């Protein structure tokens, strides 16, 4: 079965402005795709359209050949998980209970075992007894990643589509590296497919298989990091003076701001 996610001619308007303007794309299985672009480009809005959190005014999204609008909510929740940029909770539960929320689409089957496994995998096991509201922003992001992976956990591994909106924004360098290494490791199995919004172009260049560049709601460039993250492309769409060279430890591009 083809598990690709396809978007066709998506458009979404707010007031007189098109937040997303005629975007078509395909997300293939077993890859990490990074959505990049300047502030207000439409990255978070597009992610919400691709996950079914928002409905497009025009166009449609299909997952595994079926329109997102036709997926039963429980079945869709077992196939795709979303980690939003900010998750506000009205209750102050222990971290372990927050991660367990991800198992809601599956019922109680093996819940405690899966929660423990996912928390160990994401380095959250030392936070298990703490309350969510007492955590730092970075610790909360790690917990939300664990919850999202728990939602997709099936037969010993996460399976399906994971959408992440700026999951590294509050993380220190060590945890940024660990998060992206973990995602790449899980993707290798071929069962997990990741779409991630990133502001840090160097993280996108180093870890993404494909990069999609948005500007003013339009998809203006896409391809491998080396095809998209180029001096003229970044200067044109970000308006910043940059120089792109090769990463010293790999063949990936690396962006330097000009002084």
């Amino acid at each position: 079965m083809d598990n690709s996610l396809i978007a066709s001619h998506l458009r979404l308007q707010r007031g007189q402005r098109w937040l997303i303007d005629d975007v078509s794309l395909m997300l293939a299985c077993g890859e990490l795709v990074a959505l990049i672009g300047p502030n207000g480009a439409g990255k978070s809005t597009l992610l919400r359209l691709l996950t079914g959190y928002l409905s497009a005014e025009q166009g449609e999204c299909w997952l595994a050949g079926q329109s997102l609008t036709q997926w039963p909510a429980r079945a869709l929740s077992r196939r795709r998980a979303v980690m939003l940029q900010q998750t506000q909770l009205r209750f102050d539960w222990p971290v372990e209970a927050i991660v367990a929320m991800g198992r809601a689409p599956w019922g109680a089957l093996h819940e405690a075992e899966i929660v423990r496994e996912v928390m160990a995998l994401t380095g959250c096991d030392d936070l298990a007894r703490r309350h969510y509201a007492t955590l730092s922003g970075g610790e909360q992001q790690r917990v939300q990643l664990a919850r999202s992976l728990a939602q997709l956990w099936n037969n010993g591994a996460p399976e399906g589509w994971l959408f992440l909106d700026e999951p590294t924004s509050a993380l220190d360098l060590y945890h940024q590296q660990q998060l992206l290494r973990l995602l790449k490791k899980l993707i290798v199995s071929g069962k997990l497919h990741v779409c991630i919004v990133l502001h840090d172009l160097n993280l996108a260049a180093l870890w993404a298989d494909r990069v999609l560049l948005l500007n003013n709601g339009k998809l203006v460039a896409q391809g491998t990091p080396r095809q998209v993250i180029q001096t003229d492309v970044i200067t044109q769409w970000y308006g910043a003076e940059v120089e792109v060279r090769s990463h010293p430890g790999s063949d990936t591009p690396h962006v330097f701001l000009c002084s």
Side-chain angles (χ1 to χ4, degrees):
M1 180 175 61
D2 183 7
N3 288 314
S4 298
L5 192 147
I6 298 172
S8 177
H9 301 292
L10 298 181
R11 301 190 84 193
L12 182 66
Q13 188 176 24
R14 289 290 182 269
Q16 299 300 311
R17 182 177 175 228
W18 288 101
L19 301 183
I20 298 296
D21 190 1
D22 196 23
V23 170
S24 297
L25 56 86
M26 183 182 77
L27 302 181
C29 300
E31 64 177 0
L32 191 153
V33 175
L35 300 179
I36 65 171
N39 292 339
K43 302 181 296 295
S44 295
T45 302
L46 178 59
L47 185 138
R48 284 164 170 76
L49 290 173
L50 295 175
T51 58
Y53 273 50
L54 284 177
S55 297
E57 295 178 18
Q58 298 177 28
E60 197 166 3
C61 290
W62 291 271
L63 174 59
Q66 183 174 344
S67 172
L68 282 183
T69 60
Q70 297 176 353
W71 275 82
R74 185 183 181 90
L76 183 59
S77 293
R78 290 183 173 189
R79 292 289 293 275
R80 70 95 180 91
V82 186
M83 177 180 164
L84 298 176
Q85 190 171 358
Q86 294 181 334
T87 303
Q88 301 293 334
L89 299 179
R90 297 181 180 179
F91 40 82
D92 185 19
W93 285 1
V95 164
E96 201 168 27
I98 300 297
V99 177
M101 290 171 58
R103 297 304 297 167
W106 301 89
L109 185 64
H110 305 304
E111 178 182 296
E113 176 185 343
I114 290 172
V115 168
R116 284 195 298 270
E117 188 169 358
V118 170
M119 291 187 69
L121 188 67
T122 54
C124 292
D125 39 359
D126 61 332
L127 305 175
R129 297 290 185 267
R130 293 179 59 183
H131 281 249
Y132 188 79
T134 69
L135 302 181
S136 69
E139 289 171 332
Q140 289 184 356
Q141 284 189 318
R142 288 160 52 199
V143 170
Q144 289 300 330
L145 174 65
R147 177 195 58 77
S148 300
L149 290 175
Q151 182 178 332
L152 297 176
W153 206 263
N154 188 28
N155 295 322
E159 182 176 343
W161 287 93
L162 178 60
F163 291 86
L164 307 165
D165 192 354
E166 285 292 333
T168 61
S169 61
L171 298 182
D172 58 35
L173 290 177
Y174 171 81
H175 286 103
Q176 288 181 18
Q177 185 181 60
Q178 293 304 108
L179 181 146
L180 289 161
R181 280 180 174 172
L182 174 60
L183 292 178
K184 291 292 281 190
K185 178 182 176 180
L186 294 172
I187 286 170
V188 168
S189 70
K191 294 183 177 180
L192 183 69
H193 331 299
V194 176
C195 181
I196 181 171
V197 174
L198 287 172
H199 264 302
D200 190 322
L201 298 183
N202 290 324
L203 289 181
L206 195 57
W207 297 101
D209 298 300
R210 259 193 320 130
V211 175
L212 308 179
L213 172 57
L214 294 173
N215 186 269
N216 287 327
K218 292 181 178 291
L219 182 58
V220 295
Q222 60 179 309
T224 66
R226 184 156 290 282
Q227 290 172 326
V228 175
I229 301 178
Q230 300 183 22
T231 300
D232 57 343
V233 175
I234 300 305
T235 298
Q236 177 182 1
W237 299 113
Y238 279 80
E241 296 179 22
V242 301
E243 184 175 347
V244 178
R245 304 178 189 172
S246 292
H247 186 280
S250 70
D251 190 41
T252 59
H254 192 87
V255 181
F256 296 86
L257 284 173
C258 297
S259 59

